[in-house]
Amino acid sequence: MALPSRTIEELRAPAERMRVVAEIAARHSAEVDREGRFPREAIDALKAERLMAVMIPKRFGGEGLSLLEVAELCTILGQACGSTAMVYAMHQIKASSLVSHGGESQWHAGFMREMVAEQHLLASATTEGGIGGDLRNSICAVDVKDGRFTLEKDATVISYGLYADAILVTCRRAPEAQSSDQSMVVVRRGDYTLAKTTGWDTLGMRGTCSEGFRLVSSGDAAQIFPQPFSEIAAQSMLSTSHILWGAVWFGIAADAVARAQAYVRAAARKQPGSVPPGALRLAEVVAMLQDMKASVVAGVVRYEAALDRPDELSSIGFAVEMNNLKVTTSQRGAQIVTHAMLITGLSGYKNDTPFSVGRHLRDITSAAIMISNDRILSNTSNLLLVSRFDTSLVN
Ligand SMILES: Cc1cc2nc3c(=O)[nH]c(=O)nc-3n(C[C@H](O)[C@H](O)[C@H](O)COP(=O)(O)OP(=O)(O)OC[C@H]3O[C@@H](n4cnc5c(N)ncnc54)[C@H](O)[C@@H]3O)c2cc1C
């Protein structure tokens, strides 16, 4: 697809551009969900609106948007189509690793410029056969010889793997390295082959097309991030994942509540002078939504305050807060959408009414297992054995 070339000054505000995309995503959301197909129209629109590289710093040609601004874009899209928004969020999480850790590496800086020019879509291959969702261990290893690398991975989940322009792959640093001594490598389309190993016929998030593949890749050793993956995970990837996922889930929950409100208001119009039975639950669910929003915003504020302090980003207290953000927003989102369904009743349960929340309900169930909450809580419980949690209101 030929992309219009525009300078930053010629572009409209990012949120305005995202609303154009959201309208397209909403139009195709039911079909994307039903057929479990890639949201091609919305992703093409994201590229046409030049929203893929918005987080890339201005010195590399991007718009240098903050994480809060990108989170808001994820929320706008999440209100239209959960799958499309999750694709966008996962892409931005990968972009954030380049922004935080690629600036000093000539290859990665060049790749960021390429991302801006080509509006690349980035995917992620962390999950691995035999390891599951344990991000901080790998079985596969990158092998470097004469300035070139080879890397093979049994990647059991790569969302939109077939549609990505590049994949960021975690692996052991070398064939002799320990499982937790990891690197991350950028492999571009053309550097790799994907042989499909598993399908993606799921309850929700069907449009993410998160199939499993045997990934076989090779390339220039410079494509390996210079920093160990432990640093990348602690200092950017975990926080940006939990914040941007939370922003998507908030978008899904907000749209379900908007539908519940429309339902209650329609009921009120039918019987002027009386308060519909769902009104009380609506008040309750709006309070829950506000609580969820506060958690996501507090997470971003906490992250941005720690950004220039690597010791703070790697601290136990920070890790506990980011873990908690993921667990609480995933749980809150599911509670909110369930509430919205109770308010809308059969009209919400049906798939063909303006008040339907079935897709929202199915999409939001993925939140608890997208890196299992149990795995995260177990990690937090270990951290709490060796540290005090923060009891201040402002830190
Ligand atoms: C919509 C969606 C998109 C995704 N996209 C990608 C992607 O693009 N790339 C990618 O790499 N991955 C992706 N994933 C995978 C995701 O990141 C996790 O790896 C995956 O959800 C974990 O799957 P699992 O439950 O099989 O594995 P595990 O995390 O291994 O968990 C298996 C079971 O063991 C339990 N368990 C595991 N460890 C513990 C523990 N320490 N304490 C208590 N219980 C534990 C869990 O509760 C769970 O029931 C995606 C997942 C989803 C839902």
Side-chain angles (χ1 to χ4, degrees), residues 116-380:
V116 176
E118 307 290 332
Q119 293 292 295
H120 282 332
L121 173 63
L122 311 184
S124 166
T126 58
T127 308
E128 184 173 13
I131 292 272
D134 182 5
L135 188 75
R136 289 302 330 284
N137 282 287
S138 291
I139 296 173
C140 69
V142 64
D143 198 0
V144 178
K145 282 194 186 78
D146 303 324
R148 305 274 306 164
F149 77 84
T150 53
L151 171 60
E152 290 190 30
K153 181 163 186 166
D154 174 16
T156 46
V157 194
I158 307 182
S159 292
Y160 51 92
L162 290 178
Y163 308 94
D165 300 300
I167 306 176
L168 275 66
V169 189
T170 53
C171 51
R172 281 182 297 128
R173 183 182 46 78
E176 65 281 5
Q178 298 282 315
S179 65
S180 61
D181 180 3
Q182 294 165 287
S183 292
M184 187 154 77
V185 189
V186 181
V187 295
R188 283 186 294 194
R189 184 181 276 278
D191 294 335
Y192 59 81
T193 58
L194 294 176
K196 188 171 152 182
T197 51
T198 56
W200 185 253
D201 182 2
T202 49
L203 183 67
M205 287 294 176
R206 294 171 58 80
T208 61
C209 299
S210 307
E211 294 162 330
F213 301 95
R214 176 107 209 136
L215 178 146
V216 179
S217 63
S218 60
D220 187 333
Q223 293 170 232
I224 305 169
F225 276 87
Q227 302 85 349
F229 179 65
S230 56
E231 238 174 70
I232 298 174
Q235 296 184 5
S236 71
M237 201 178 121
L238 284 177
S239 336
T240 50
S241 299
H242 296 169
I243 288 166
L244 296 186
W245 290 349
V248 171
W249 300 330
F250 176 75
I252 294 171
D255 190 57
V257 171
R259 288 171 187 230
Q261 185 186 28
Y263 178 84
V264 172
R265 292 177 68 166
R269 276 195 297 276
K270 274 189 209 152
Q271 287 189 316
S274 71
V275 178
L280 193 77
R281 271 199 185 273
L282 180 65
E284 191 183 20
V285 80
V286 167
M288 289 159 76
L289 192 67
Q290 186 179 330
D291 175 47
M292 184 178 182
K293 176 174 171 169
S295 293
V296 178
V297 173
V300 186
V301 170
R302 179 80 170 93
Y303 175 71
E304 291 192 334
L307 249 189
D308 298 327
R309 293 150 54 207
D311 52 332
E312 179 63 14
L313 286 173
S314 301
S315 71
I316 289 181
F318 183 75
V320 168
E321 284 184 45
M322 290 299 136
N323 281 355
N324 290 343
L325 173 68
K326 194 275 168 174
V327 173
T328 55
T329 51
S330 61
Q331 292 172 342
R332 216 38 168 163
Q335 287 166 349
I336 291 169
V337 181
T338 307
H339 248 67
M341 196 196 71
L342 287 174
I343 294 167
T344 52
L346 194 56
S347 298
Y349 197 65
K350 284 183 170 177
N351 287 324
D352 56 356
T353 83
F355 312 112
S356 302
V357 291
R359 175 171 52 81
H360 305 66
L361 199 53
R362 288 183 291 98
D363 283 349
I364 204 79
T365 53
S366 67
I369 59 157
M370 200 168 174
I371 305 291
S372 159
N373 278 359
D374 283 355
R375 188 185 279 286
I376 293 178
L377 284 170
S378 142
N379 174 263
T380 305

